[in-house]
Short mmCIF file of all heavy atoms in Angstrom, two decimals:
data_model
loop_
_atom_site.label_atom_id
_atom_site.label_comp_id
_atom_site.label_asym_id
_atom_site.label_seq_id
_atom_site.Cartn_x
_atom_site.Cartn_y
_atom_site.Cartn_z
N LEU A 1281 15.10 16.99 36.33
CA LEU A 1281 15.31 18.22 37.08
C LEU A 1281 14.83 18.06 38.52
O LEU A 1281 13.85 17.35 38.78
CB LEU A 1281 14.58 19.38 36.41
CG LEU A 1281 15.03 19.72 34.98
CD1 LEU A 1281 14.20 20.86 34.42
CD2 LEU A 1281 16.51 20.06 34.94
N VAL A 1284 15.47 23.43 43.51
CA VAL A 1284 16.60 24.18 44.07
C VAL A 1284 16.07 25.01 45.23
O VAL A 1284 15.15 25.82 45.05
CB VAL A 1284 17.23 25.11 43.00
CG1 VAL A 1284 18.35 25.95 43.63
CG2 VAL A 1284 17.76 24.29 41.84
N ASN A 1288 20.64 26.66 48.31
CA ASN A 1288 21.52 26.27 47.21
C ASN A 1288 21.64 27.34 46.13
O ASN A 1288 22.11 27.06 45.03
CB ASN A 1288 21.01 24.97 46.58
CG ASN A 1288 21.17 23.78 47.52
OD1 ASN A 1288 22.14 23.70 48.25
ND2 ASN A 1288 20.20 22.88 47.51
N LEU A 1289 21.22 28.56 46.46
CA LEU A 1289 21.35 29.68 45.55
C LEU A 1289 22.32 30.70 46.11
O LEU A 1289 22.30 30.99 47.32
CB LEU A 1289 20.00 30.36 45.33
CG LEU A 1289 19.03 29.71 44.35
CD1 LEU A 1289 17.69 30.44 44.39
CD2 LEU A 1289 19.59 29.70 42.93
N CYS A 1290 23.16 31.24 45.28
CA CYS A 1290 23.97 32.40 45.62
C CYS A 1290 23.31 33.63 45.00
O CYS A 1290 23.23 33.75 43.78
CB CYS A 1290 25.40 32.25 45.11
SG CYS A 1290 26.48 31.39 46.24
N TYR A 1314 22.65 32.52 41.12
CA TYR A 1314 23.06 31.32 40.40
C TYR A 1314 23.00 30.12 41.33
O TYR A 1314 23.07 30.25 42.56
CB TYR A 1314 24.47 31.46 39.80
CG TYR A 1314 25.58 31.62 40.81
CD1 TYR A 1314 26.19 30.51 41.39
CD2 TYR A 1314 26.04 32.88 41.18
CE1 TYR A 1314 27.21 30.65 42.31
CE2 TYR A 1314 27.06 33.03 42.11
CZ TYR A 1314 27.65 31.91 42.67
OH TYR A 1314 28.65 32.06 43.59
N VAL A 1315 22.85 28.94 40.76
CA VAL A 1315 22.83 27.70 41.53
C VAL A 1315 24.25 27.39 41.99
O VAL A 1315 25.19 27.41 41.19
CB VAL A 1315 22.27 26.54 40.68
CG1 VAL A 1315 22.35 25.22 41.44
CG2 VAL A 1315 20.83 26.84 40.28
N ASN A 1316 24.40 27.12 43.26
CA ASN A 1316 25.73 26.98 43.86
C ASN A 1316 26.32 25.59 43.61
O ASN A 1316 26.76 24.90 44.53
CB ASN A 1316 25.65 27.26 45.36
CG ASN A 1316 27.02 27.47 45.97
OD1 ASN A 1316 27.96 27.81 45.27
ND2 ASN A 1316 27.13 27.26 47.27
N ALA A 1317 26.28 25.16 42.36
CA ALA A 1317 26.86 23.89 41.94
C ALA A 1317 26.86 23.85 40.43
O ALA A 1317 26.03 24.49 39.78
CB ALA A 1317 26.06 22.71 42.50
N TYR A 1318 27.79 23.09 39.87
CA TYR A 1318 27.74 22.84 38.44
C TYR A 1318 26.71 21.75 38.17
O TYR A 1318 26.74 20.68 38.79
CB TYR A 1318 29.11 22.40 37.93
CG TYR A 1318 30.07 23.54 37.70
CD1 TYR A 1318 31.11 23.78 38.58
CD2 TYR A 1318 29.92 24.35 36.58
CE1 TYR A 1318 31.99 24.83 38.36
CE2 TYR A 1318 30.81 25.40 36.35
CZ TYR A 1318 31.84 25.62 37.25
OH TYR A 1318 32.71 26.66 37.04
N THR A 1319 25.82 22.00 37.24
CA THR A 1319 24.79 21.04 36.86
C THR A 1319 24.74 20.98 35.33
O THR A 1319 25.32 21.84 34.66
CB THR A 1319 23.41 21.45 37.39
OG1 THR A 1319 22.99 22.65 36.72
CG2 THR A 1319 23.44 21.70 38.90
N PRO A 1320 24.03 20.01 34.75
CA PRO A 1320 23.79 20.08 33.30
C PRO A 1320 23.14 21.41 32.94
O PRO A 1320 22.45 22.03 33.75
CB PRO A 1320 22.85 18.89 33.05
CG PRO A 1320 23.15 17.95 34.18
CD PRO A 1320 23.46 18.80 35.36
N GLN A 1321 23.32 21.82 31.70
CA GLN A 1321 22.84 23.14 31.28
C GLN A 1321 21.34 23.08 30.92
O GLN A 1321 20.94 23.23 29.76
CB GLN A 1321 23.67 23.66 30.11
CG GLN A 1321 25.10 23.98 30.49
CD GLN A 1321 25.19 25.10 31.52
OE1 GLN A 1321 24.48 26.08 31.43
NE2 GLN A 1321 26.08 24.95 32.48
N ALA A 1322 20.55 22.85 31.95
CA ALA A 1322 19.09 22.84 31.82
C ALA A 1322 18.51 23.34 33.13
O ALA A 1322 18.99 22.98 34.21
CB ALA A 1322 18.58 21.43 31.50
N ALA A 1323 17.51 24.20 33.02
CA ALA A 1323 16.85 24.74 34.21
C ALA A 1323 15.41 25.05 33.88
O ALA A 1323 15.07 25.35 32.72
CB ALA A 1323 17.57 25.99 34.71
N LYS A 1351 19.56 31.89 33.31
CA LYS A 1351 20.94 32.08 32.89
C LYS A 1351 21.57 30.70 32.67
O LYS A 1351 21.31 29.77 33.43
CB LYS A 1351 21.72 32.85 33.94
CG LYS A 1351 21.11 34.19 34.28
CD LYS A 1351 22.02 35.05 35.15
CE LYS A 1351 22.25 34.45 36.52
NZ LYS A 1351 22.99 35.37 37.40
N LEU A 1352 22.42 30.59 31.67
CA LEU A 1352 23.12 29.36 31.35
C LEU A 1352 24.60 29.67 31.15
O LEU A 1352 24.96 30.76 30.75
CB LEU A 1352 22.54 28.72 30.08
CG LEU A 1352 21.04 28.38 30.14
CD1 LEU A 1352 20.47 28.29 28.73
CD2 LEU A 1352 20.80 27.10 30.89
N ARG A 1353 25.43 28.68 31.47
CA ARG A 1353 26.89 28.82 31.33
C ARG A 1353 27.36 30.14 31.95
O ARG A 1353 28.21 30.85 31.39
CB ARG A 1353 27.31 28.74 29.86
CG ARG A 1353 26.92 27.43 29.20
CD ARG A 1353 27.38 27.37 27.76
NE ARG A 1353 28.85 27.23 27.67
CZ ARG A 1353 29.50 26.06 27.63
NH1 ARG A 1353 28.81 24.92 27.66
NH2 ARG A 1353 30.81 26.01 27.54
N ALA A 1354 26.82 30.46 33.13
CA ALA A 1354 27.07 31.77 33.74
C ALA A 1354 28.44 31.78 34.43
O ALA A 1354 28.56 31.56 35.63
CB ALA A 1354 25.96 32.10 34.74
N GLN A 1355 29.45 32.08 33.66
CA GLN A 1355 30.81 32.12 34.20
C GLN A 1355 30.99 33.30 35.16
O GLN A 1355 31.59 33.17 36.22
CB GLN A 1355 31.84 32.23 33.08
CG GLN A 1355 33.27 32.37 33.57
CD GLN A 1355 34.26 32.42 32.44
OE1 GLN A 1355 34.46 31.43 31.73
NE2 GLN A 1355 34.88 33.57 32.22
N ASP A 1356 30.46 34.44 34.77
CA ASP A 1356 30.58 35.64 35.60
C ASP A 1356 29.65 36.70 35.03
O ASP A 1356 28.85 36.43 34.13
CB ASP A 1356 32.03 36.13 35.65
CG ASP A 1356 32.68 36.23 34.28
OD1 ASP A 1356 32.07 36.84 33.37
OD2 ASP A 1356 33.78 35.68 34.11
N ASN A 1359 30.14 37.14 31.09
CA ASN A 1359 30.16 36.03 30.13
C ASN A 1359 29.11 34.99 30.52
O ASN A 1359 29.30 34.23 31.48
CB ASN A 1359 31.56 35.39 30.10
CG ASN A 1359 32.65 36.38 29.75
OD1 ASN A 1359 32.90 36.67 28.59
ND2 ASN A 1359 33.30 36.94 30.76
N SER A 1445 32.94 29.56 24.74
CA SER A 1445 34.26 30.01 25.19
C SER A 1445 34.30 30.25 26.69
O SER A 1445 35.36 30.59 27.23
CB SER A 1445 34.65 31.30 24.44
OG SER A 1445 33.77 32.36 24.78
N PHE A 1446 33.17 30.09 27.36
CA PHE A 1446 33.10 30.23 28.82
C PHE A 1446 32.16 29.17 29.35
O PHE A 1446 31.43 28.52 28.60
CB PHE A 1446 32.63 31.63 29.22
CG PHE A 1446 31.39 32.09 28.51
CD1 PHE A 1446 30.12 31.68 28.90
CD2 PHE A 1446 31.48 32.96 27.41
CE1 PHE A 1446 28.99 32.10 28.24
CE2 PHE A 1446 30.34 33.39 26.75
CZ PHE A 1446 29.09 32.95 27.16
N ASP A 1447 32.17 28.97 30.66
CA ASP A 1447 31.32 27.95 31.27
C ASP A 1447 31.00 28.34 32.70
O ASP A 1447 31.75 29.11 33.32
CB ASP A 1447 32.01 26.58 31.24
CG ASP A 1447 31.03 25.44 31.50
OD1 ASP A 1447 29.81 25.69 31.49
OD2 ASP A 1447 31.50 24.31 31.70
N GLY A 1448 29.91 27.84 33.21
CA GLY A 1448 29.49 28.13 34.57
C GLY A 1448 28.14 27.52 34.85
O GLY A 1448 27.58 26.80 34.00
N PRO A 1449 27.56 27.79 36.01
CA PRO A 1449 26.30 27.17 36.39
C PRO A 1449 25.09 27.86 35.77
O PRO A 1449 25.21 28.85 35.06
CB PRO A 1449 26.29 27.34 37.92
CG PRO A 1449 27.04 28.61 38.13
CD PRO A 1449 28.11 28.63 37.07
N VAL A 1450 23.93 27.30 36.04
CA VAL A 1450 22.67 27.93 35.64
C VAL A 1450 22.22 28.90 36.74
O VAL A 1450 22.69 28.83 37.87
CB VAL A 1450 21.57 26.88 35.38
CG1 VAL A 1450 22.00 25.94 34.27
CG2 VAL A 1450 21.23 26.10 36.65
N GLY A 1451 21.32 29.80 36.38
CA GLY A 1451 20.85 30.77 37.37
C GLY A 1451 19.60 31.47 36.90
O GLY A 1451 18.96 31.07 35.92
N SER A 1465 16.81 22.50 38.67
CA SER A 1465 17.99 22.28 37.83
C SER A 1465 18.36 20.81 37.91
O SER A 1465 17.75 20.04 38.65
CB SER A 1465 19.17 23.15 38.29
OG SER A 1465 19.67 22.68 39.53
N GLY A 1466 19.37 20.41 37.13
CA GLY A 1466 19.82 19.03 37.17
C GLY A 1466 20.63 18.73 38.42
O GLY A 1466 20.95 19.61 39.22
N GLN A 1467 20.97 17.47 38.57
CA GLN A 1467 21.82 17.06 39.68
C GLN A 1467 23.22 17.62 39.50
O GLN A 1467 23.72 17.71 38.36
CB GLN A 1467 21.90 15.53 39.76
CG GLN A 1467 20.59 14.86 40.11
CD GLN A 1467 20.24 15.00 41.58
OE1 GLN A 1467 20.97 15.63 42.34
NE2 GLN A 1467 19.12 14.44 41.99
N PRO A 1468 23.88 18.04 40.58
CA PRO A 1468 25.24 18.56 40.46
C PRO A 1468 26.17 17.56 39.78
O PRO A 1468 26.11 16.36 40.02
CB PRO A 1468 25.66 18.79 41.91
CG PRO A 1468 24.36 19.00 42.65
CD PRO A 1468 23.37 18.09 41.96
N THR A 1469 27.02 18.09 38.90
CA THR A 1469 27.97 17.25 38.18
C THR A 1469 29.38 17.34 38.75
O THR A 1469 30.16 16.42 38.61
CB THR A 1469 28.01 17.65 36.69
OG1 THR A 1469 28.31 19.05 36.59
CG2 THR A 1469 26.67 17.38 36.03
N LYS A 1470 29.70 18.46 39.36
CA LYS A 1470 30.99 18.59 40.04
C LYS A 1470 30.87 19.68 41.08
O LYS A 1470 30.13 20.64 40.93
CB LYS A 1470 32.12 18.91 39.06
CG LYS A 1470 31.86 20.08 38.13
CD LYS A 1470 33.00 20.19 37.14
CE LYS A 1470 32.72 21.30 36.12
NZ LYS A 1470 33.79 21.44 35.13
N GLN A 1471 31.59 19.53 42.15
CA GLN A 1471 31.49 20.45 43.28
C GLN A 1471 32.32 21.70 43.01
O GLN A 1471 33.45 21.61 42.56
CB GLN A 1471 31.98 19.77 44.57
CG GLN A 1471 31.80 20.59 45.82
CD GLN A 1471 30.33 20.84 46.13
OE1 GLN A 1471 29.49 19.97 45.93
NE2 GLN A 1471 30.02 22.02 46.62
N GLN A 1472 31.75 22.83 43.25
CA GLN A 1472 32.52 24.06 43.08
C GLN A 1472 33.14 24.46 44.41
O GLN A 1472 32.56 24.24 45.47
CB GLN A 1472 31.64 25.19 42.57
CG GLN A 1472 30.63 25.72 43.58
CD GLN A 1472 29.86 26.88 43.00
OE1 GLN A 1472 29.36 26.79 41.89
NE2 GLN A 1472 29.76 27.95 43.73
N PRO A 1473 34.33 25.04 44.40
CA PRO A 1473 34.94 25.52 45.62
C PRO A 1473 34.09 26.62 46.24
O PRO A 1473 33.34 27.29 45.55
CB PRO A 1473 36.29 26.08 45.16
CG PRO A 1473 36.52 25.47 43.81
CD PRO A 1473 35.18 25.26 43.23
N PRO A 1474 34.18 26.79 47.55
CA PRO A 1474 33.38 27.84 48.18
C PRO A 1474 33.82 29.22 47.72
O PRO A 1474 34.99 29.46 47.46
CB PRO A 1474 33.67 27.65 49.68
CG PRO A 1474 34.97 26.93 49.73
CD PRO A 1474 35.02 26.07 48.51
N SER A 1475 32.85 30.12 47.58
CA SER A 1475 33.16 31.49 47.21
C SER A 1475 33.30 32.33 48.47
O SER A 1475 32.83 31.95 49.54
CB SER A 1475 32.05 32.06 46.33
OG SER A 1475 30.87 32.21 47.09
N PRO A 1483 31.80 36.03 43.00
CA PRO A 1483 32.51 34.86 43.50
C PRO A 1483 33.81 34.65 42.74
O PRO A 1483 33.92 34.98 41.56
CB PRO A 1483 31.52 33.72 43.24
CG PRO A 1483 30.20 34.40 43.16
CD PRO A 1483 30.46 35.73 42.54
N VAL A 1484 34.77 34.06 43.43
CA VAL A 1484 36.08 33.85 42.84
C VAL A 1484 36.12 32.61 41.95
O VAL A 1484 36.69 32.64 40.88
CB VAL A 1484 37.15 33.73 43.95
CG1 VAL A 1484 38.47 33.27 43.39
CG2 VAL A 1484 37.31 35.08 44.64
N MET A 1485 35.45 31.52 42.37
CA MET A 1485 35.60 30.27 41.63
C MET A 1485 35.09 30.43 40.20
O MET A 1485 33.93 30.70 39.98
CB MET A 1485 34.92 29.10 42.34
CG MET A 1485 33.41 29.05 42.42
SD MET A 1485 32.51 28.59 40.94
CE MET A 1485 33.48 27.23 40.39
N GLY A 1486 36.01 30.33 39.26
CA GLY A 1486 35.62 30.43 37.87
C GLY A 1486 34.94 31.74 37.53
O GLY A 1486 34.35 31.89 36.48
N GLN A 1487 34.99 32.71 38.44
CA GLN A 1487 34.33 33.99 38.25
C GLN A 1487 32.85 33.81 37.90
O GLN A 1487 32.36 34.31 36.91
CB GLN A 1487 35.01 34.80 37.14
CG GLN A 1487 36.49 35.03 37.40
CD GLN A 1487 36.73 35.94 38.57
OE1 GLN A 1487 35.87 36.69 38.98
NE2 GLN A 1487 37.92 35.89 39.13
N ILE A 1488 32.12 33.04 38.70
CA ILE A 1488 30.71 32.77 38.41
C ILE A 1488 29.90 34.03 38.47
O ILE A 1488 30.09 34.88 39.32
CB ILE A 1488 30.17 31.72 39.40
CG1 ILE A 1488 30.79 30.37 39.11
CG2 ILE A 1488 28.67 31.58 39.28
CD1 ILE A 1488 30.37 29.30 40.03
N GLU A 1489 28.94 34.12 37.54
CA GLU A 1489 28.16 35.34 37.38
C GLU A 1489 27.05 35.47 38.39
O GLU A 1489 26.46 34.50 38.81
CB GLU A 1489 27.56 35.35 35.97
CG GLU A 1489 27.09 36.72 35.50
CD GLU A 1489 25.70 37.09 35.92
OE1 GLU A 1489 24.94 36.23 36.36
OE2 GLU A 1489 25.37 38.27 35.78
#
Side-chain angles (χ1 to χ4, degrees):
L1281 298 179
V1284 177
N1288 291 324
L1289 281 173
C1290 273
Y1314 64 86
V1315 176
N1316 194 22
Y1318 280 105
T1319 67
Q1321 293 297 318
K1351 304 190 295 187
L1352 301 158
R1353 301 181 71 91
Q1355 176 178 292
D1356 49 50
N1359 302 277
S1445 65
F1446 49 80
D1447 196 11
V1450 300
S1465 70
Q1467 294 284 2
T1469 55
K1470 52 185 176 180
Q1471 186 64 37
Q1472 71 177 49
S1475 67
V1484 169
M1485 69 76 44
Q1487 303 292 340
I1488 291 178
E1489 198 275 346

